[in-house]
Amino acid sequence: MRSFENLIAGKRLPSISGKWLPSLDPYRNENWCEVPDSDAADVDAAVAAASDAFKSAAWGDLTATARGTLLRKLADLIAENAQQLAEIEVRDNGKLFSEMLVQLRYIPQWFYYYGGLADKIEGGVLPIDKAEHFVYTTWEPLGVVAAITAWNSPLLLLTWKLAPGLAAGNTFVIKPSEFSSASTLAFVDLFEKAGFPPGVVNVVCGTGQAVGAPLVSHPGVAKVAFTGSDATGRAISRIAAGELKHLTMELGGKSPNIVFDDADQDAAAAGVASGIFAAAGQTCMAGSRLLVQRTIYDDFLARVRALASSIKMGDPMDLETQMGPLANIAQYKKVLSCIADAKSEGCVVALGGTTHEHAGGGLFVNPTIFRDVDNQSQLAQREVFGPVLAVIPFDTDEEALQLANGTNFGLGAGIWTKDMSRVFRFAKRLQSGTVWVNTYRALAFMAPFGGVKSSGLGRESGQETIKAYMQTKTVWINNSTQPPGNPFIMRLG
Ligand code: NAD
């Protein structure tokens, strides 16, 4: 079995306790590698390394332009190693090689983008209201950032944190998901090759309780950048608030795809299927609720059902495969229990709802559709994170909006219509961080992404994100030759 080690202060290390965690290949349902089962002692060492690197001249004195150059070198190396990294991700989480290769080939764009942005973050000279004072602002990095990621797209989610955070001048301790740490451990080899000083990027593997919790509460950590479930996000936010840390939270969703009777129905059906069955539904932006106008309800459902029935399931490395296994046993059990709960709360199965037996022996669940679902049901309210679609009819635009906004989440929303005035009305009134119109699951490095309500705090990607890894400093210089005023009165006037 392959072993991957932590990276702390530029050194490859096992956990201090010497314990290991096995990592599952979900297609074969067998362990294929092991990663360190670390704890608070490893976290202490990694935070100390990141803190030393932050204060070091080798990193701290680099100009923003020089940091940008490092990020661009890293981007080149990622592009060169895209195939090998994608293969590790597929082995570790069962997602399709065809999708992971596209992700890995696109990930360099974030490093080019933020590499270019690094030296364009400008402070200002303030037109201050006090004579003979010169006052300016600068933007500074925060310090050590804890990046905690989920298992579904490990390197993409990590990139959304590292690229802006390193461009801003911070250092990192990364805690990948215990279910898919291998690609992160292979990825960080590239930082040394690109010329980043040791300790700027560190990785500590282990469980949420043993590594994530002590990392979040560590006094040496200035910011927590988290991707995961809303339950874990809330737990982390409570601890981070107590320690007054900066936070970015990318959490789950229950995103609606809203299909009107004037939509291009072929395009809409393909978009709906891609929204929920791509990646076997294991994406934060899964369009897991389908709202369909009643005038086309049966026809449209039949189209989506036909597409879902024809999905080719199998080996995620096979370029013909359209849906792979679920990523780990815990998630497999969770999806099956959500399906069982939906059946017992009276939801009507229109397709699937069963496991899929496959020669690979992996953790497959068939594409599943429930029809005529009540928006108040658990199925419509709870994130499943699997290939399970809840279909809900509506009559009017207003009803569609109420249903779309009627969950605690607000990550993404899709609208399928040709009516542009409706598009603008919905884009304004949908409670969602992203609205896709006649498309779904599209992302780009310059487009902010993130959630409202229980789907998160802050945004990733886009220009504004770099400032979530920075803080302003205001510098007051008194040029006056006049005698000082009354020292016991604040200098306001
Ligand atoms: P999770 O919340 O179980 O775990 C996420 C990470 O948090 C893991 O690394 C885990 O070890 C760690 N963790 C767990 N408990 C912790 C604690 N007490 N303190 C600190 N860290 C802790 O989520 P998951 O099952 O790995 O991922 C699926 C979830 O992620 C879904 O809800 C999905 O919607 C969400 N997600 C969101 C986005 C987004 O960009 N909004 C992207 C991908 C996934």
Side-chain angles (χ1 to χ4, degrees), residues 148-152 157 160 175-178 207-209 212-213 216 226-229 232 236 250-253 284 383 385 411 449:
I148 302 180
T149 51
W151 43 260
N152 58 325
L157 305 176
W160 291 356
K175 203 232 67 80
S177 166
E178 56 272 42
T207 63
Q209 282 311 318
V216 167
F226 174 75
T227 301
S229 63
T232 310
I236 290 177
E250 287 290 355
L251 309 177
C284 53
E383 186 184 42
F385 218 58
L411 191 61
F449 181 76

Side-chain angles (χ1 to χ4, degrees), residues 206-242:
T207 63
Q209 282 311 318
V211 174
L215 183 57
V216 167
S217 58
H218 200 293
V221 168
K223 167 168 176 132
V224 180
F226 174 75
T227 301
S229 63
D230 63 308
T232 310
R234 282 173 209 280
I236 290 177
S237 299
R238 277 192 288 272
I239 297 167

Side-chain angles (χ1 to χ4, degrees), residues 20 97 109 119 142 154 162 180 326-327 330 368 447 464 475:
W20 294 89
F97 178 68
Q109 296 300 334
D119 59 8
L142 302 174
L162 282 179
S180 61
L326 296 178
T368 296
E464 66 191 68
V475 180

Side-chain angles (χ1 to χ4, degrees), residues 40 47 76 88 98 100 142 203 205 213-214 247 250 267-268 276 283 303 335 346 350-351 380 399 418 420 436 477:
V47 175
D76 291 343
I88 296 175
S98 48
M100 295 329 257
L142 302 174
V203 188
C205 294
L247 275 181
E250 287 290 355
I276 187 63
T283 73
R303 273 174 207 262
V335 171
L351 183 73
E399 188 187 0
K418 295 194 181 98
M420 285 313 287
W436 287 289
I477 301 172

Side-chain angles (χ1 to χ4, degrees), residues 175-187:
K175 203 232 67 80
S177 166
E178 56 272 42
F179 296 115
S180 61
S181 305
S183 60
T184 300
L185 291 167
F187 179 67

